Amino acid sequence: MAVPTYDQFIEPVLRYLAVHPDGAIARDVHDATADVLNVSETDRAEMLPSGTQLVYKNRAGWAHDRLKRAGLSTSRRRGFWQLTEAGAALAAKYPSGLPDHVIESLLREYNDVRLRLPDDEGVAAPSGASELSATVSPDDRLEQAVSELRLGVVAEVLDQLSRVSPTYFETVVLDVLHKLGYGTSRADLTRVGRSGDGGIDGVISLDRLGLEKVYVQAKRWQSSVGRPEVQGFYGALAGQRANRGVFITTSSFSTQAVEFAGSVERVVLVDGRKLAELMIEFEVGVTSRSVRIPKVDSDYFEE
C-alpha cells in the first residue's frame, strides 16, 4: 500500500489537532495521522525522489498547509501546529468527518478564501478539471516534473551518443569516469585507440606512477551486449594482469552477460541508461539549471 495522497491527511490532521486544543508538535501529528491512515513501516520509510524528506511527513505537512490557507490552523513557531477558533468550530460541526465539498474547497490550488461558519456560504463548489491534480501536493508535482524532465534528457543523451563516432564515444566514457573520481587528473585517463587492443579501449591510472590501473571497454551498440563480449573483455583483463575493468555500452547487457559479470570479481557493467544518468549527475555534456523555491524562515519572525 502506497502512502495516501495529501488530501487524505487533511481529516486526520484536523481531528488530531481538535483533541489537542493547545497545539501539538508537527512530528507527533505526522505519526498520529500515519497511524490513522494505516501507513506501514515500509511506506513510512519512503523518501521523496529528491531524498530531502519522508513522503508521509511531506504530505501531512501539505495537508496542514491547506488548513492554514483556509484560516483553520496556525503555526506560530516552527514545527508546532494549532487549530484556530474557526478550525475547532469546523471540527465540532462535522464530528463524523468533513464533507467532500469542504475537502474540495481546501484542495483548490492557491485558495486563500476563508471558510465561514456556521453556514457553508464561504465554501465554493467544485470547479471540475482543476480538482484532477488537486490531490497531488505541490512537492509531488515538482518531483514528478523533475522526473519527467530527467527521463527526457536521458533519452536525448542516448540519442546523441548514438550519433557520435566510436572514437569520440570512447572519449566521452573516459570523461565520465574522470568525473566519477577515477584518475588524479584527466591526463591519467588515456584512450588506447587502436585495433587489436584485446578488448581494451581506455586505460585509467589510479596513481601517479601508474602502478594500479583500470581498463575500459566502450561499445556504442544498438543491440544487447552478450556474454561472449563480456567474457572476452574479462580475458583481456587477465592478459593485461589488470585488477579491474569497466565495460560500458549505449545499449544493454543480456541476462547471461550480467550473470557472468556477477560471477567474477573485477568487471563492472554500465548500460546506456546508467551511463546517461551518470552524465546528467556529473554534468558531462549536460548542464543543469537551478530553480529557487522560497520557504519562510520562521526563526526570523521570532520576537
Side-chain angles (χ1 to χ4, degrees), residues 2 9 18 32 43 46 57 64 79-80 159 207 274:
F9 280 85
D43 288 334
E46 181 185 351
K57 291 190 175 185
H64 183 253
F80 189 83
D159 180 62
D207 60 273
K274 180 63 175 178

Side-chain angles (χ1 to χ4, degrees), residues 154-190:
V154 166
E156 190 174 352
V157 165
L158 289 174
D159 180 62
Q160 292 289 340
L161 290 176
S162 71
R163 299 171 187 272
V164 302
S165 68
T167 298
Y168 191 72
F169 177 61
E170 292 170 7
T171 299
V172 170
V173 165
L174 293 179
D175 285 343
V176 172
L177 291 173
H178 178 57
K179 285 282 191 175
L180 281 167
Y182 289 93
T184 55
S185 71
R186 180 59 179 83
D188 294 327
L189 290 80
T190 57

